[in-house]
Amino acid sequence: FLNDAQELGAILDLSNDALTQKVVLRTMEEDTSILGEEAFMENVDSKETSIGYYLGRELSYFDIDFGVRRDEVNRKSKFKTVAKDLDFDSTSFVLGFGFDLSSSTDLSLSLGSVERAPSSVELFMDGEHAAVQRNEVGDPTLQAEEAQNIELSFNFDTGIYYGSINFYQNDVDNYIYRKDRNPGQEGPGEMKLELADFVQQDAELDGYEIQVGTDFDFLNGNLALTAGRDSVDGTFTDGKNIPRMVPARDIYTLTYTEDNLTVDIDLTEVNAQNDFAASGDSATAGFELLDVSISRSFALEGVEDFEVVLFANNLLDEIARNHSSTVKNEVPLPGKNLGIGFRVTL
């Protein structure tokens, strides 16, 4: 796997006391190649050129932010021995408003339209991809994705408690995803993997993210506690589920710091995922991941910092499967993992 890229960018700052204004220019050339007997994609030459503009201004009752970007993408390769020269021109923008409700709370609203050109893999993949256990087939006729996004955020910080609540909805035209052609049936090739096509369909994704926390003096140090939850639902416009959508999660963290000692305890409760696609997807059981780490820094002559870290990941030794993985049933996440690490800063 080889990737050779050259990128050049520049930012022109036109800001003054009344406005924040910036112009961003970026150009990139990239050569992606897969070599060897198991190569599953021809070499791809990509060229991308972008120009963006950002404007921000603070008004009496609210702040306003606006950004717009023009992208021109060209990808050249061969697909099933036929040369392809594809151009994707897109325009994206985001408009945001921020409101200070009080000295400790604020509200923000953003509206946007974002376009994304298909990747090299989605366009030109054509062969057995062992890592995902699929014989993947791209589609050079894919169109750019176009998402209409809206997001509402509420943030607060009282000095004792802090937190944020975010709600979002993304309506995506031409959503690109991997779809198993004939689930359970073997495709051609030596490994006899299932055939999967990169296809697109209009979709809608709705979700939220919530986090609250506090920190206070405890014993001879500081104790920080946070709790959060994130969830997303993804369906196509015909009401069917998007394959391999991640399930909802509840995340709890405890961090104690005292001088050169830090103790982290993280508990992640991943819900069961029963909203699965009919083609090449299946339900996934929920699980809990408990991770603990203890780190301490030592002063040693000749080095800036010497840190020892004791860690225990998946301390409950849960059988955990990543629903977004195509090989979740064959390859679960790692079990209980205990170790010690050293970090030296010279």
Side-chain angles (χ1 to χ4, degrees), residues 211 224-230 248-255 264-271 287-293 312-318:
Q211 185 182 55
L225 305 172
T226 65
R229 180 178 175 85
D230 58 67
R249 303 181 304 169
D250 299 297
I251 303 173
Y252 309 93
T253 67
L254 180 153
T255 302
D264 286 306
I265 302 176
D266 301 318
L267 175 63
T268 302
E269 296 181 343
V270 180
N271 294 7
F287 55 88
E288 295 181 344
L289 293 179
L290 177 62
D291 299 333
V292 178
S293 71
N313 296 330
N314 194 1
L315 194 58
L316 303 176
D317 203 22
E318 287 271 275

Side-chain angles (χ1 to χ4, degrees), residues 55-109:
L55 179 146
R57 183 171 183 179
E58 296 182 5
L59 301 175
S60 299
Y61 299 102
F62 62 91
D63 301 335
I64 185 170
D65 297 278
F66 174 74
V68 61
R69 189 183 71 235
R70 174 69 175 178
D71 297 312
E72 296 181 355
V73 178
N74 174 264
R75 304 200 193 281
K76 295 180 181 179
S77 185
K78 290 183 179 179
F79 184 76
K80 299 188 181 299
T81 72
V82 179
K84 300 291 182 179
D85 188 345
L86 308 176
D87 291 310
F88 301 92
D89 298 333
S90 59
T91 302
S92 303
F93 73 87
V94 175
L95 177 63
F97 302 91
F99 305 87
D100 290 328
L101 304 181
S102 69
S103 60
S104 60
T105 60
D106 65 78
L107 183 72
S108 62
L109 172 68

